[in-house]
Amino acid sequence: LKWILIIIIALIAVFLIYSASQPNKMEVSRSIEIEAPREQVFDKIADFHSWGDWSIWNQKDTAMKVEITGEMGAVGAKSQWWSNHPEVGNGSQEVVEVRPNEYLKCKMRFADWDADNFADFTLTELDGKTTVVWTYESAETPFYMNFVNSLIQPMIEQNYETSLNSLKEVVESAPMTVANPMNLEVVEVTPTAILSIKDSTTAEGISDKLRELYTELSIFIDSKEEVSSAGMPLAIYYAYSPEKVVLEAAIPYSGEASAEGRIMVGEIPAGKAVKGVHLGDYNASEKMHYAIIDYGKASGMVLGDCWEVYANDPTTVDSAEVRTEIY
């Protein structure tokens, strides 16, 4: 009996030594790339109502009771669940930090474990694709319970990978919805032959510079019997700051033309473009430019240089009817 007791004590000692040698908390990090704008991905993560579509824990027990409260995507949003499934159990998660479309951090608590655990999502976007990094950091465990971390961590890692793959499938298969308060259109642009002059000026000097360049282009067109104007004037913008604007004033033409001096022969190429129409004072068109940039980004489109078509003559229409078509 004495030796049995000694063996039991020795085994307990070995077990405690082993447990003490294991990490005293669990840290998991998994990532995935999703072919969608991060706004679309963030919506699926921040809205706890959507977790049933992609979270492996929700799918392990489709009958579990879930109670969701608070404003989704905001601090204080909370999800509580009750499940008889041994891998799910009872618990809650509450949003404690959020940066819309970039970062979400949740505090998690589990039944029979009076401690705070944390999970967070970090989203970065490049060229219309979003990388999601999902991390988990548990509370510290007593040294005699450290062995549990080593046993559970592989399961958590696998569940994270499965859930992220489901998230990718759900997001990429969903129809893209992009806010469009400025009534923008995605249009097919036909190739347009242009005569143009490239120059630079300040932001305040755009109107005077365009007037100068259009005058020079018009004189050139009038001097060539084989060339005629074929559309309203336009301008392509390559760089913009208050101190320096690099632009190319252009007039569509028909006929046979060749470059001469600083007058270039070129083309607006065919393809898709985001189009917005601004009516009224040209100086108030900045919002439309930003709307096009935001729309293109949210839609996963790679936008090129901006160009504007001055669709009517501001000297012949009311100021409220001046029409600028922005691409």
Side-chain angles (χ1 to χ4, degrees), residues 75-107:
V75 171
K78 188 173 184 180
S79 173
Q80 292 181 272
W81 62 89
W82 296 265
S83 171
N84 293 320
H85 193 290
E87 292 184 37
V88 180
N90 304 335
S92 68
Q93 62 176 342
E94 180 179 355
V95 177
V96 294
E97 185 179 347
V98 61
R99 296 192 300 274
N101 303 320
E102 294 181 6
Y103 181 78
L104 185 83
K105 183 175 184 177
C106 294
K107 177 178 70 177

Side-chain angles (χ1 to χ4, degrees), residues 1-14:
L1 183 64
K2 177 181 177 182
W3 283 107
I4 293 175
L5 182 61
I6 291 173
I7 291 171
I8 291 174
I9 293 173
L11 289 174
I12 293 174
V14 170

Side-chain angles (χ1 to χ4, degrees), residues 162-173:
T162 301
S163 296
L164 285 173
N165 281 319
S166 294
L167 176 64
K168 175 182 174 71
E169 183 178 349
V170 167
V171 173
E172 291 183 352
S173 63

Side-chain angles (χ1 to χ4, degrees), residues 149-222:
N149 296 328
S150 299
L151 292 176
I152 294 178
Q153 182 156 337
M155 181 186 71
I156 299 295
E157 291 172 342
Q158 181 59 53
N159 286 340
Y160 264 38
E161 290 175 4
T162 301
S163 296
L164 285 173
N165 281 319
S166 294
L167 176 64
K168 175 182 174 71
E169 183 178 349
V170 167
V171 173
E172 291 183 352
S173 63
M176 185 175 294
T177 56
V178 179
N180 186 15
M182 304 291 279
N183 297 317
L184 304 174
E185 299 178 90
V186 178
V187 298
E188 286 286 349
V189 177
T190 57
T192 303
I194 57 172
L195 295 168
S196 64
I197 303 172
K198 192 172 184 179
D199 207 336
S200 62
T201 184
T202 63
E204 290 185 355
I206 290 176
S207 294
D208 290 339
K209 177 57 68 174
L210 288 177
R211 189 177 301 111
E212 170 198 328
L213 300 180
Y214 289 139
T215 299
E216 186 173 341
L217 287 167
S218 296
I219 292 173
F220 175 83
I221 292 173
D222 290 342

Side-chain angles (χ1 to χ4, degrees), residues 44-57:
K44 283 293 184 183
I45 295 171
D47 187 352
F48 291 142
H49 298 93
S50 298
W51 280 52
D53 298 333
W54 60 270
S55 169
I56 187 64
W57 286 280

